[in-house]
Amino acid sequence: MVKSTEKISRLAQWVRESSKIVAFTGAGISTESGIPDFRSPGGLWEQYDPTDFTYQKFIGDTKSREILWEFFQSAYELFSQAEPNAAHLALAALERKNKLRAVITQNIDSLHHKAGNSLEKIIELHGNMERVVCLDCGRFLDKQQVLTRLLQGETVPDCEDCSGMLKPDAVFFGEPMPLDEMNRAHQSVEACDLCLSIGSSLVVYPAAGFPLMAKKQGGRLVIINREPTSADAHADLVIHDSAGSVMAEVIRLALS
Ligand code: NAD
Ligand code: ZN
């Protein structure tokens, strides 16, 4: 078996040769920042089953909304304390070197923004937690306004303008994908020369289709994930290791 160090050298070589890199990131890129993924032991997802968080349940009854807002209060606190790690910073370094076409992310934690990637490079397929939307009048609120109300004891905050139903502006299971972001993601994988899939089990579709699409369009596909993924057999290189240490070393070798 080829050792991780040899694979990292090969990846660094490919990064040197590439100028249209697309990164595809999942929950695994943020675990080294203290935000657990769905599978890691401990943390938030053991108290709540995230697959219960369907759009239908959220709009369906007040009790579900109460549990969901309790979960979001904890998630807001967790996300606001989290700092980007070496893997997020590596993608910001690729942008500074004009090598990055886009970061397509499934994450809702805003760590790519915090790391320094620019708005035009970040494509958030599942929205983010910074905004809250009123499902009735369409008004957007900053999460801080809603968090303040939750901390004051409101269990199911509603819209102060129209008394409508508020929802975090993240994409729930069972909710349609945002069209603009899907189009931007499609455009970015067209003619990308290297796709780095980092920290994703590649099981949540349609998002997980983008790395394979990049490969089909002729780009190299590299998967960096601690565990095997559903797309390993299609990749040009698979590194089963931690995103932060791998990406820090790749950047050191490729950009210095
Ligand atoms: P996932 O939980 O299905 O898979 C994460 C993968 O990352 C796992 O295979 C795991 O082995 C790997 N991993 C964990 N830590 C790693 C590390 N340090 N280095 C390398 N690999 C590591 O997550 P997913 O594929 O993103 O899909 C699940 C859904 O969960 C997504 O829709 C996403 O929106 C949501 N989610 C987001 C966050 C976040 O915003 N940070 C957190 C949890 C879940
Ligand atoms: Zn409203």
Side-chain angles (χ1 to χ4, degrees):
M1 200 169 81
V2 188
K3 286 204 309 232
S4 269
T5 45
E6 288 169 43
K7 292 182 178 180
I8 289 170
S9 302
R10 196 184 313 166
L11 174 53
Q13 178 60 32
W14 289 353
V15 167
R16 270 196 295 275
E17 293 167 8
S18 306
S19 58
K20 289 175 279 185
I21 300 173
V22 170
F24 177 85
T25 67
I29 198 175
S30 296
T31 57
E32 291 165 79
S33 295
I35 301 176
D37 61 16
F38 281 171
R39 289 168 181 75
S40 301
L44 216 48
W45 317 131
E46 277 191 354
Q47 296 160 42
Y48 301 91
D49 179 356
T51 56
D52 268 352
F53 293 178
T54 64
Y55 184 68
Q56 287 69 22
K57 271 197 182 167
F58 187 81
I59 60 169
D61 73 286
T62 317
K63 188 67 203 160
S64 298
R65 277 201 293 289
E66 206 175 300
I67 296 168
L68 283 158
W69 278 114
E70 191 187 283
F71 163 79
F72 281 116
Q73 186 177 329
S74 313
Y76 283 141
E77 283 159 10
L78 183 68
F79 289 6
S80 64
Q81 286 157 14
E83 293 296 334
N85 65 58
H88 299 101
L89 297 175
L91 301 182
L94 290 179
E95 180 174 344
R96 284 195 299 277
K97 293 283 182 186
N98 287 324
K99 283 182 169 290
L100 188 78
R101 202 156 177 186
V103 181
I104 305 175
T105 189
Q106 301 175 91
N107 295 345
I108 53 173
D109 55 25
S110 298
L111 288 180
H112 291 302
H113 299 85
K114 278 195 191 171
N117 280 119
S118 57
L119 275 181
E120 70 260 26
K121 298 286 183 192
I122 302 172
I123 304 171
E124 293 175 303
L125 293 177
H126 295 159
N128 68 50
M129 293 282 280
E130 293 305 305
R131 296 194 307 183
V132 172
V133 61
C134 171
L135 295 177
D136 292 280
C137 72
R139 174 186 172 208
F140 287 105
L141 291 86
D142 186 84
K143 65 137 195 273
Q144 197 53 47
Q145 290 169 261
V146 179
L147 185 56
T148 306
R149 288 168 60 188
L150 289 169
L151 290 169
Q152 284 166 351
E154 274 188 58
T155 51
V156 182
D158 60 7
C159 176
E160 281 168 331
D161 281 356
C162 76
S163 306
M165 195 184 291
L166 296 180
K167 179 184 132 338
D169 198 25
V171 177
F172 283 29
F173 289 107
E175 202 176 356
M177 299 289 284
L179 211 56
D180 279 358
E181 277 72 11
M182 288 297 281
N183 287 336
R184 285 178 64 207
H186 275 284
Q187 281 164 12
S188 75
V189 295
E190 275 170 23
C192 91
D193 47 15
L194 175 63
C195 177
L196 307 175
S197 176
I198 308 174
S200 176
S201 54
L202 297 174
V203 293
V204 180
Y205 275 81
F210 286 110
L212 289 173
M213 227 178 277
K215 171 74 185 156
K216 267 204 197 109
Q217 315 270 8
R220 283 172 170 142
L221 172 59
V222 176
I223 294 178
I224 302 161
N225 203 63
R226 275 186 190 152
E227 297 162 17
T229 79
S230 64
D232 285 5
H234 304 280
D236 296 284
L237 186 65
V238 178
I239 305 178
H240 289 153
D241 211 330
S242 294
S245 53
V246 170
M247 286 308 294
E249 186 60 4
V250 167
I251 291 301
R252 193 184 68 78
L253 295 172
L255 303 187
S256 58

